[in-house]
Amino acid sequence: MVFFFTCSDPRYVVYMGKDKYENEELLKYGFPEDIWFHVDKLSSAHVYLRLPAGSVDLAGVKDKAEAKQRLLDAIASVPEEILGEMAQLTKENSIEGCKAAQCDIVYTPFLNLKKEDQMEVGQVGFREESFRTLMKNVAKDKDVIKKIGKD
């Protein structure tokens, strides 16, 4: 069962899988408007932030650099508060990450995720390592966790 959450801005949809099998299924249904979040170097839920419809228009874009720039612009439009909420949700849903005083959170456009046949269930890589962003030393914020409600 996919879990949906409410963040502080109703324009965004937030969802995640309950385990690695659901994470695997979610990889089949991502949209260009999705941003994927994960605890860096630790097991964690795959948390997705779906941007408002139409915020990533790649129709007719044939140039890879232009497509990448449109994705970067869409991510840059996400308020810091929302990125912080996603980091908290991701940290909270990592067995090891939630116990650590701080951990790093990685995020990238869904279109940058790469799944290869030899990878384990729920495991992904990146098409371009440089196209991911790392939030360093994310500490738990109980107030933010309480605010992000599971629907």
Side-chain angles (χ1 to χ4, degrees):
M1 178 172 85
V2 174
F3 294 110
F4 287 88
F5 297 84
T6 302
C7 68
S8 61
D9 187 332
R11 296 178 302 153
Y12 299 96
V13 175
V14 181
Y15 65 98
M16 72 176 197
K18 67 175 179 158
D19 58 28
K20 65 183 179 180
Y21 300 103
E22 232 168 58
N23 290 340
E24 188 75 20
E25 278 299 303
L26 289 175
L27 291 171
K28 298 175 186 175
Y29 302 105
F31 285 24
E33 293 90 2
D34 289 346
I35 303 173
W36 175 88
F37 292 78
H38 196 274
V39 174
D40 195 39
K41 298 185 173 76
L42 297 175
S43 175
S44 83
H46 293 202
V47 175
Y48 291 84
L49 176 68
R50 181 156 295 159
L51 304 180
S55 59
V56 179
D57 183 9
L58 298 177
V61 176
K62 301 211 183 322
D63 181 58
K64 186 178 178 180
E66 182 184 347
K68 185 175 179 178
Q69 188 58 53
R70 286 190 187 190
L71 288 167
L72 288 170
D73 291 345
I75 290 173
S77 75
V78 177
E80 285 295 320
E81 180 181 9
I82 301 298
L83 293 174
E85 290 175 10
M86 296 306 93
Q88 289 299 316
L89 184 60
T90 305
K91 178 177 173 33
E92 184 69 13
N93 287 280
S94 168
I95 293 169
E96 296 172 71
C98 73
K99 296 174 188 169
Q102 298 179 332
C103 64
D104 296 342
I105 306 294
V106 63
Y107 64 95
T108 194
F110 171 77
L111 294 176
N112 190 41
L113 297 180
K114 173 176 69 175
K115 179 69 181 180
E116 296 177 344
D117 290 340
Q118 72 273 17
M119 291 179 166
E120 297 204 18
V121 172
Q123 183 181 15
V124 296
F126 303 105
R127 296 180 192 285
E128 288 185 47
E129 285 287 329
S130 64
F131 201 18
R132 63 190 196 102
T133 302
L134 193 64
M135 298 172 78
K136 303 283 285 174
N137 305 317
V138 174
K140 185 173 189 166
D141 185 332
K142 291 178 185 175
D143 293 333
V144 170
I145 296 298
K146 286 180 197 172
K147 187 168 71 169
I148 303 172
K150 196 183 292 184
D151 290 344

